[in-house]
Amino acid sequence: MYFVSKTIRLKDGRQALLRSPEPQRDAAELAAVLKTVCGETDFLTKGADEVNLTVEQEKAWISGMNDSPNKLSIVCEAEGKIAGMCHLAIGGTRRSAHRGEIGISLLRRFWGQGIGSAMLDELIGVARQKGLCYVELKAFKNNTRAVALYEKKGFVVLHETPDAQRLPDGMAQTELFMRKTL
Ligand SMILES: CC(C)(COP(=O)(O)OP(=O)(O)OC[C@H]1O[C@@H](n2cnc3c(N)ncnc32)[C@H](O)[C@@H]1OP(=O)(O)O)[C@@H](O)C(=O)NCCC(=O)NCCS
C-alpha cells in the first residue's frame, strides 16, 4: 500500500513529513537507520549486529511493502533525514484478515516529539479504512514510553509472556501482547 504524504508538526514546532519509502531514494538510509535504532535501544527484538540488510535487500523490502495490498510502511522525514519508520501488516490469510499488526521505531534523537503518536494515528486510520477489527502489537513491559503511548491510543494488554527475550547481560524481558479494537 502507498501512503498519501502528510506534513506533521513536532512538539518543538519543526515540521516533518510522513510518506511512503521509495526503494531507490531511501533503501541505504533506511537500512542504516534500522541498524542504528536497534543499537540505541533494548526495546526492539534484535541487536544492531543482527541487522545486516544489504541495500538490495532493503530495496526489495520497500517495494514489497509498497506493492502489497495488505502491508503499509511509512517513514518520517525530518530535517531531510529519515527519523524512523512504522508499518502495518494485515493478516495474510482469509482467517486472519480482520487483524493488523503494527510496529514503530524511531531514532533516539527524535523520541518524545510526537512522531510515534502521529504515526500510530495514521496506522489506525488506515486499519479502519481497510475494515479491520483489531490492530495489535508486541511491546516489552519495561518500555514505559511505548506502553504509555499505546494505552493512550486505546490499546489494552491481552496477555504477557515472561522471559520472552534475554538481553546480552542475561536480563529477561517480559513481552506484552496489546490490542486495540476498532
Ligand atoms: C516508542 C516510540 C515509538 C514512541 O514514539 P515517540 O515519538 O517517542 O512518542 P511521542 O512523542 O509521540 O509520545 C507519545 C506519548 O508517549 C508517552 N511518553 C512520552 N515520553 C515519555 C516518557 N519519557 N516516559 C513515559 N511516557 C512517555 C506520553 O504518553 C506521550 O504522549 P503525550 O505527548 O501526549 O504526553 C519511540 O520512542 C521509539 O521508537 N522508541 C524506540 C523503539 C521502540 O521502543 N519502539 C516500540 C516497540 S513496541
Side-chain angles (χ1 to χ4, degrees):
M1 284 182 261
Y2 282 87
F3 179 75
V4 179
S5 301
K6 183 171 182 175
T7 301
I8 59 168
R9 185 171 288 279
L10 306 188
K11 284 184 185 167
D12 65 7
R14 285 177 298 165
Q15 287 197 335
L17 184 69
L18 299 182
R19 62 170 175 82
S20 283
E22 297 170 25
Q24 289 297 337
R25 174 183 173 191
D26 298 320
E29 188 179 357
L30 206 48
V33 168
L34 185 59
K35 195 172 178 69
T36 303
V37 173
C38 286
E40 286 181 334
T41 176
D42 288 333
F43 298 138
L44 297 174
T45 52
K46 288 180 180 175
D49 58 326
E50 295 172 286
V51 180
N52 292 305
L53 285 178
T54 65
V55 174
E56 288 312 311
Q57 286 169 327
E58 188 67 38
K59 275 184 195 165
W61 183 84
I62 294 170
S63 299
M65 295 297 283
N66 289 348
D67 296 341
S68 166
N70 56 4
K71 291 183 181 163
L72 173 70
S73 173
I74 305 172
V75 295
C76 177
E77 185 183 319
E79 302 157 356
K81 300 276 181 203
I82 292 176
M85 66 211 90
C86 65
H87 75 268
L88 167 72
I90 300 174
T93 62
R94 265 205 314 269
R95 294 177 185 192
S96 64
H98 61 298
R99 300 165 56 202
E101 183 244 303
I102 66 173
I104 308 179
S105 36
L106 306 175
L107 288 171
R108 184 179 276 268
R109 69 190 169 97
F110 291 101
W111 293 5
Q113 285 295 318
I115 298 173
S117 183
M119 283 180 155
L120 204 46
D121 288 343
E122 297 304 325
L123 295 176
I124 291 168
V126 171
R128 280 209 172 95
Q129 279 168 21
K130 288 278 170 185
L132 300 194
C133 299
Y134 310 109
V135 280
E136 299 165 343
L137 56 86
K138 290 175 183 167
F140 292 108
K141 194 173 185 175
N142 62 347
N143 192 352
T144 47
R145 180 190 300 269
V147 173
L149 169 61
Y150 301 142
E151 286 179 339
K152 200 175 71 176
K153 299 292 181 184
F155 285 77
V156 295
V157 176
L158 285 194
H159 58 78
E160 56 181 72
T161 307
D163 201 13
Q165 170 168 295
R166 291 184 187 174
L167 298 179
D169 65 1
M171 192 184 138
Q173 301 267 75
T174 297
E175 185 178 77
L176 305 179
F177 181 80
M178 302 183 78
R179 169 184 272 182
K180 177 181 170 67
T181 301
L182 300 176

